[in-house]
Amino acid sequence: MEGVSSLDEPLKKLLGGATAKVMAEHLDLHTVGDLLHHYPRRYEERGKLTALTDLPLDEHVTVVAQVADARILTFNNGRGKRLEVTLTDGSGRLQLVFFGHGVHKPHKELLPGRQAMFAGKVSVFNRKMQLAHPTYQLLDASDADEASEAVDAFAGRLLPIYPACKQLDSWRIAKAVDAVLPSARDAVDPLPASLREGRGFTPLPEALLKVHRPQTRADIEDAKARLKWDEAFVLQVALARRRYADTQLPAAARRRVADGLLDAFDAKLPFTLTEGQEKVSKEIFDDLATEHPMHRLLQGEVGSGKTMVALRAMLAVVDAGGQAAMLAPTEVLAQQHHRSITEMMGELAEGGMLGGSDRGTKVVLLTGSMGAAARRQALLDLVTGEAGIVIGTHALIEDKVRFHDLGLVVVDEQHRFGVEQRDALRSKGKQPPHLLVMTATPIPRTVAMTVFGDLETSVLDQLPAGRSPIASHVVPAKDKPHFLTRAWERVAEEVENGHQAYVVCPRIGDDAEEAEGRGGKKAKAKKAAPEEDGEKRPPLAVLEIADQLRGGALSGLSVEVLHGRMHPDEKDDVMRRFAAGEVDVLVATTVIEVGVNVPNATAMVIMDADRFGVSQLHQLRGRVGRGSAPGLCLLVSEAHEASPARARLSAVAATLDGFELSRIDLEQRREGDVLGQAQSGVRSSLRMLTVIDDEEVIAAAREEAVAIVAADPELERLPELRTVLAALLDKEREEYLDKG
């Protein structure tokens, strides 16, 4: 396409090597187009001050404020100098601190009454919010100096405040945008003309100009409406094409058979299925009976009985002559699923063995660390069709694994598996197998439409009878150490009452991990931020906490550890003994996050809980309260009371509703984090759209996208849209879509 070239220009051509390098490394901006799509976070009016009262802790901010007073203080017997400047916005105050040789220039320039833009990281010192060594730009310089020239470069009265980083302030980014703004007129417009005119959207070049250099607030609204729509629409077209490609694939219909394994299994169930399980099962059985592959996402609250629904789907496929594979993200989880499925099936899982049912099948486990002989036997059972059900980790995707007739793939915990893995497993069937994806992280409707737009969605929102409520509390270990002492007493009380407990830590604490930390990326990241060293200790570790508990608060109890680097047999042994009630307290990493089912475990203490995400905490908490006794979850944290981390923990403690928590999670994380993980193959393209607030935009864009793809699957009549899609999709995904 002609015209796309100027947006593909590398930034170093226009901005020089040093600036381009910082933009690439710290902001992931590489081309002119990338910078044009790096939109202002908000806009300040030149004469108006920023509210200083609610600045986010630990974040890099840019504020417009007025100097109230400035004074130089000496310390170290007069050898050291410190400049303290107090800013005001009329309601709140903010302290600035400059040290050493850096005090002279600001002391001359930051006089009381002066207005400026300040950028820096918000921290707390002596219970006051402060910015240490901020960069600043004067906004009311009286003489025609450089500062006022730079300010005049901003159009009108609205100052765009860009997402910035320590190495590059918002106003320097604004200057760089000025250099590339003329290229905006070459932007390829992805919207079909009829759609753009029908919805009254501003043309794309004009929208880019308005978003970066608005004259009025109305300009900003205009630009946002257009740019949001583009993001939603292009993504929905990519997903609609993928869905369309999937519907063109052939699949073997697996119709439900009477008097087979499934009926035998249902007959021996000691409980009745919930209404939700019945409804979702029917949706799945209907999909399995069609000659195109099912692509269904099964979301369910922690403990809502997803595994039961998936197992019944697998049994129906085995009845119809096919095989079913369940893919789990970790070995611990694969073993756990294998154990619980063989227990649920009983003699039906012993097909071909003595004492097995004549209607039974074999259920095999396949993981990377199995012994050679067991692995050989498992592979043989798969290729002959002896094993109707296989459960494994991504070892299942390896080239050596062959199936007799793979009919259904169940993927557990979608967020750990990308589209590529799904496709690799799918290629194992004579024809593409049906696909059921399970996730225990409830996903708001808009996210499901955006991230999993190529899947139909089923939701299990009832909990089976017999699940108990879980009380959750935040334990502020730093401010109130006696609360932590009480937490360990509560654990001991639970054990005394015949129950068990989990203690979860973010780190293992063994030598291998330390070495990785020293050599890997994490170590580098640490080096880049020396000012944080004082405040950030390494996360608490399983091995250290277990030793402390054995020798202190929980001495006399049986305390064992579980983490990902233990030998699989050792892990299995610990899990088995914990499930059997022989271990009182299990100190573990997040390997227990999903699928682990020990009804007698009633208490969980999560150390450094602020180091985990909201949905992860919700997952972990779901391991307790699985029996008839109430559950208790204690979130231990040293985070400052006013910090976003503490707000996150309070939100988790306040509700057990996973959908509500996933909404909070989304609001608190950057959109790209949520989508980047899950899109797998689509570069996270959302800069303006917020999935949580823009439900109507997403729903409308999806409708238009479906209609366009149905009428023109290859987009032959829309070359501009194809061009923009090609830029969004990486090569693999593009090839996949073109197969359709």
Side-chain angles (χ1 to χ4, degrees):
M1 268 295 300
E2 215 275 318
V4 81
S5 54
S6 74
L7 269 70
D8 283 341
E9 288 274 330
L11 283 170
K12 61 171 175 276
K13 267 194 172 173
L14 280 102
L15 306 177
T19 305
K21 189 169 186 262
V22 172
M23 285 195 167
E25 283 177 11
H26 297 280
L27 297 170
D28 197 21
L29 305 174
H30 307 273
T31 64
V32 168
D34 290 345
L35 182 53
L36 284 174
H37 290 295
H38 185 71
Y39 308 129
R41 180 175 279 159
R42 59 181 182 18
Y43 303 83
E44 295 284 12
E45 286 174 35
R46 175 101 38 103
K48 209 170 160 195
L49 306 176
T50 306
L52 299 178
T53 40
D54 46 9
L55 293 177
L57 256 186
D58 288 338
E59 282 190 29
H60 194 90
V61 299
T62 302
V63 299
V64 175
Q66 191 165 22
V67 177
D69 66 72
R71 57 193 174 283
I72 284 195
L73 305 171
T74 55
F75 55 95
N76 259 359
N77 294 331
R79 288 198 297 278
K81 280 186 177 176
R82 182 169 85 235
L83 170 65
E84 285 186 3
V85 178
T86 306
L87 301 182
T88 175
D89 63 356
S91 65
R93 290 182 163 241
L94 178 67
Q95 194 93 30
L96 309 182
V97 194
F98 300 87
F99 293 101
H101 300 302
V103 306
H104 305 301
K105 187 166 182 264
H107 191 223
K108 280 203 310 245
E109 293 181 336
L110 297 178
L111 306 170
R114 280 291 214 16
Q115 265 193 34
M117 273 196 283
F118 300 89
K121 192 172 173 190
V122 184
S123 56
V124 168
F125 183 71
N126 274 345
R127 304 202 161 208
K128 281 187 187 154
M129 298 276 228
Q130 72 165 26
L131 299 183
H133 271 290
T135 51
Y136 61 90
Q137 171 123 31
L138 299 171
L139 291 183
D140 55 358
S142 43
D143 48 310
D145 62 9
E146 209 180 306
S148 91
E149 251 173 63
V151 170
D152 290 340
F154 294 118
R157 296 173 309 114
L158 291 168
L159 304 173
I161 306 293
Y162 286 91
C165 59
K166 190 174 153 197
Q167 296 76 3
L168 205 61
D169 318 305
S170 169
W171 49 91
R172 290 206 180 91
I173 295 171
K175 217 170 173 172
V177 169
D178 284 335
V180 301
L181 214 45
S183 303
R185 58 173 175 268
D186 295 334
V188 175
D189 199 323
L191 294 195
S194 58
L195 195 159
R196 189 178 67 232
E197 286 150 20
R199 290 186 175 265
F201 284 131
T202 305
L204 183 58
E206 193 185 318
L208 288 169
L209 207 61
K210 282 180 168 177
V211 80
H212 288 292
R213 299 294 172 262
Q215 299 293 325
T216 62
R217 293 269 169 199
D219 280 356
I220 299 169
E221 292 318 306
D222 250 18
K224 278 187 171 175
R226 168 65 216 255
L227 297 167
K228 269 183 186 181
W229 178 271
D230 279 19
E231 288 176 8
F233 176 70
V234 171
L235 196 51
Q236 289 301 335
V237 169
L239 292 166
R241 288 190 72 195
R242 184 176 170 93
R243 270 199 311 278
Y244 179 84
D246 286 342
T247 61
Q248 303 308 297
L249 296 170
R254 310 284 176 174
R255 294 185 182 86
R256 195 171 166 178
V257 176
D259 294 327
L261 254 175
L262 179 57
D263 285 350
F265 176 76
D266 283 352
K268 64 194 270 312
L269 274 182
F271 51 81
T272 54
L273 298 172
T274 65
E275 218 175 293
Q277 285 173 318
E278 293 278 15
K279 179 176 135 295
V280 169
S281 291
K282 184 182 178 326
E283 291 171 348
I284 292 171
F285 292 143
D286 289 349
D287 280 0
L288 290 173
T290 62
E291 290 177 359
H292 295 294
M294 162 173 86
H295 289 108
R296 192 164 279 282
L297 173 70
L298 172 58
Q299 328 184 31
E301 266 295 6
V302 179
S304 58
K306 291 181 301 296
T307 311
M308 174 61 70
V309 169
L311 175 55
R312 293 182 73 241
M314 294 198 284
L315 295 175
V317 168
V318 175
D319 278 342
Q323 290 169 295
M326 183 186 245
L327 197 54
T330 63
E331 293 211 349
V332 168
L333 196 49
Q335 287 161 347
Q336 178 81 26
H337 276 318
H338 183 253
R339 196 161 44 240
S340 64
I341 283 174
T342 47
E343 277 167 15
M344 282 197 270
M345 285 175 66
E347 76 282 4
L348 296 173
E350 295 164 2
M353 297 186 229
L354 274 176
S357 159
D358 51 356
R359 279 189 288 192
T361 186
K362 241 184 184 183
V363 178
V364 301
L365 177 68
L366 188 66
T367 61
S369 62
M370 279 169 82
R375 188 178 169 79
R376 231 185 345 265
Q377 184 59 52
L379 291 173
L380 187 66
D381 287 342
L382 284 181
V383 80
T384 58
E386 188 84 5
I389 294 177
V390 57
I391 293 152
T393 53
H394 34 269
L396 278 178
I397 300 172
E398 286 173 17
D399 291 344
K400 292 192 275 297
V401 181
R402 295 268 171 276
F403 289 84
H404 175 64
D405 180 13
L406 181 60
L408 169 67
V409 175
V410 178
V411 179
D412 189 14
E413 284 309 295
Q414 162 66 20
H415 57 273
R416 320 255 177 122
F417 283 103
V419 170
E420 294 85 356
Q421 284 106 323
R422 281 199 258 160
D423 291 345
L425 197 52
R426 178 188 278 171
S427 66
K428 301 268 180 200
K430 294 174 184 168
Q431 290 186 317
H434 297 281
L435 175 72
L436 179 65
V437 172
M438 301 198 295
T439 172
T441 312
I443 304 165
R445 195 174 89 86
T446 41
V447 183
M449 277 194 322
T450 307
V451 177
F452 303 118
D454 54 336
L455 302 172
E456 298 297 325
T457 304
S458 296
V459 178
L460 274 178
D461 45 14
Q462 283 169 296
L463 289 189
R467 296 301 301 261
S468 301
I470 306 169
S472 308
H473 304 283
V474 179
V475 177
K478 207 172 192 173
D479 313 343
K480 300 178 177 165
H482 59 285
F483 275 38
L484 184 57
T485 310
R486 177 72 192 119
W488 298 127
E489 286 169 6
R490 281 292 289 115
V491 169
E493 286 163 16
E494 288 296 312
V495 173
E496 216 167 285
N497 292 332
H499 298 300
Q500 293 156 278
Y502 297 99
V503 176
V504 182
C505 304
R507 205 163 56 93
I508 299 172
D510 60 4
D511 297 342
E513 188 177 50
E514 304 305 325
E516 264 173 42
R518 279 197 294 273
K521 284 183 182 166
K522 283 209 170 80
K524 282 185 190 148
K526 207 67 212 116
K527 211 165 179 174
E531 80 281 359
E532 288 179 37
D533 281 358
E535 58 189 76
K536 282 267 196 255
R537 56 165 173 71
L540 293 170
V542 166
L543 302 176
E544 292 155 18
I545 292 291
D547 283 347
Q548 284 172 25
L549 293 175
R550 285 186 192 117
L554 302 181
S555 61
L557 301 186
S558 150
V559 177
E560 295 272 359
V561 302
L562 180 72
H563 58 75
R565 254 199 292 278
M566 286 161 62
H567 187 277
D569 294 347
E570 210 183 335
K571 279 192 267 199
D572 215 24
D573 178 55
V574 170
M575 229 22 254
R576 211 183 292 278
R577 287 188 296 118
F578 187 64
E582 294 162 25
V583 173
D584 297 324
V585 179
L586 188 63
V587 184
T589 56
T590 54
V591 292
I592 60 149
E593 181 184 343
V594 280
V596 172
N597 186 23
V598 180
N600 191 45
T602 53
M604 174 175 286
V605 180
I606 303 179
M607 307 303 291
D608 276 344
D610 47 282
R611 313 252 181 163
F612 299 101
V614 169
S615 63
Q616 210 174 17
L617 291 169
H618 182 56
Q619 285 300 320
L620 288 165
R621 170 172 62 186
R623 301 304 106 213
V624 295
R626 298 178 83 86
S628 51
L632 172 68
C633 179
L634 302 173
L635 306 167
V636 179
S637 165
E638 291 186 2
H640 187 277
E641 203 170 347
S643 66
R646 270 290 281 282
R648 249 197 344 260
L649 295 183
S650 303
V652 173
T655 178
L656 291 170
D657 178 341
F659 284 93
E660 172 62 16
L661 285 173
S662 64
R663 208 179 51 73
I664 292 166
D665 194 19
L666 250 186
E667 282 170 357
Q668 295 193 336
R669 287 160 64 182
R670 280 199 12 259
E671 214 74 31
D673 301 342
V674 181
L675 301 179
Q677 292 302 301
Q679 279 169 0
S680 178
V682 174
R683 285 210 296 280
S684 182
S685 52
L686 302 195
R687 297 190 172 81
M688 186 64 82
L689 191 74
T690 54
V691 172
I692 207 80
D693 299 326
D694 296 319
E695 187 162 343
E696 281 125 49
V697 177
I698 292 167
R702 181 176 173 139
E703 227 167 275
E704 296 274 12
V706 169
I708 281 170
V709 171
D712 180 8
E714 292 301 311
L715 307 178
E716 281 160 3
R717 297 189 290 282
L718 298 167
E720 293 82 4
L721 180 53
R722 276 194 80 109
T723 300
V724 174
L725 262 181
L728 173 73
L729 304 177
D730 68 9
K731 268 284 156 276
E732 275 171 67
R733 180 65 99 89
E734 200 177 357
E735 276 162 26
Y736 180 86
L737 289 172
D738 288 344
K739 276 184 209 159

